[in-house]
Amino acid sequence: MNYVLFVLGGLIPACFSIGVQGQRPNIVFIMTDDQDLHLGSLDRQPVVKKEIAEKGTTFSQHYVTVAKCCPSRAALLRGQAGHNTNITEVVAPGGNWDKWLISGQNEDYLPHWLTAAGYNADYIGKIMNGYNVANYEKAPGGWNYIETSVDAYTYEYNNFVTSLNGEIPVSYPGYHQSDVIRAMSLDRIEKLSAEDKPFFLGIAPTTPHVEFSAPGWPVPPVRYENEFPDLKAPRGLNWNPDDSYQQQKVSWIKNQALLNDTTIERLDGLYRARAQSLLGVEDIVEDVIAKLEEKGILNNTYVIYTADNGWHIGNHRVSAGKSLHYLEDSNVPFIGHISISRQHFSTSLA
Ligand SMILES: *[C@@H]1O[C@H](CO)[C@@H](O)[C@H](O)[C@H]1NC(C)=O
Ligand SMILES: *[C@@H]1O[C@H](CO)[C@@H](O)[C@H](O)[C@H]1NC(C)=O
Ligand SMILES: *[C@@H]1O[C@H](CO)[C@@H](O)[C@H](O)[C@H]1NC(C)=O
């Protein structure tokens, strides 16, 4: 969380006030849901690699303080660790959206700071667990424009439902969620780029979070559902390890049984579905970068790509998921198209 706190919190009022042309940079912040750094998901994302990583900076030591959606998102939005936000779970009493509201944190977090610093602050996609069809009317605070998914539809890839600024939720049946988010993002950049304020645009697809209906995998856009037919989860050193390794583990993990062939086959299917669904995110990144370029603002925009937490598949004999203290879950992608930052810093320091 430190980098996020540093980049998104501390620097905005302080250093961003002196831009190259006097115009402070825009920020496009793309955050996926449950995307690993350690299982190679980025290896099949050539657009993220070419357009963001190769042109910018990869922060390989970015860790989330709680490897689970709601606590991690709350921490990110507040620039604090989980023990400070006290949002520690996805459900009560540790979380979630209701606790965020009751605790008052909804009135004092990133978008409030951005708008106070003269930015337009917009957000599209999933924000926090528990914002739902019953409580949508109190929209997440601080944003000029927020089009956010409402539970339980957040995890329905082909029946996405969003509320715009707390209005009655709208569904998009027949459209894949990542395509809906892509269209919404391009529309916002079109409008935001016409204003004379700098902007922050959060883009948060649910991909590659699992869909809860069977088989419990993310659902890729139809056009990608046959990609990578032979792909299997990586058999790294800690993949389904033998007893001599497992016996060194703590707590319940120590007593996990070896994964059997049925489970392994399911895990390979899950891994493949994650890779396929991330191609929908590739399309978001590609079109967003193209739109920024078309508007002539790519050279004055920080494009950041990250995830709320990581993911394990078969590592340490644990079938699949997040929330463990291992690297697979806590060390997540954080990549910035921020070669521009050097210009800003050298200008500020000059
Ligand atoms: C933090 O949340 C827990 C519930 O998870 C609650 O019992 C506790 O009182 C909260 N702490 C503070 C300081 O609000
Ligand atoms: C494989 O392991 C799973 C999870 O422990 C178990 O539910 C299932 O019955 C096992 N299948 C076989 C064929 O042993
Ligand atoms: C970005 O590119 C445009 C068009 O080429 C140019 O006018 C502008 O000065 C550049 N801005 C920065 C911050 O380099």
Side-chain angles (χ1 to χ4, degrees), residues 172-190:
Y172 303 86
Y175 290 93
H176 190 274
Q177 187 198 111
S178 58
D179 291 332
V180 175
I181 289 177
R182 182 161 55 104
M184 288 173 172
S185 304
L186 300 179
D187 181 60
R188 285 323 294 165
I189 294 170
E190 191 74 42

Side-chain angles (χ1 to χ4, degrees), residues 261-297:
D261 289 347
T262 317
T263 300
I264 289 173
E265 195 178 329
R266 183 172 57 80
L267 294 180
D268 285 335
L270 168 63
Y271 187 79
R272 207 155 43 238
R274 285 168 59 83
Q276 292 163 347
S277 69
L278 281 166
L279 294 178
V281 175
E282 282 280 280
D283 292 340
I284 297 176
V285 176
E286 184 165 36
D287 287 3
V288 160
I289 300 253
K291 175 62 77 179
L292 293 169
E293 196 149 35
E294 176 198 316
K295 293 290 159 194
I297 53 175

Side-chain angles (χ1 to χ4, degrees), residues 19-21 23 296-300 340 343-344:
V20 170
Q21 311 281 315
Q23 171 68 306
I297 53 175
L298 181 61
N299 65 354
N300 197 32
I340 179 178
Q343 299 173 31
H344 278 273

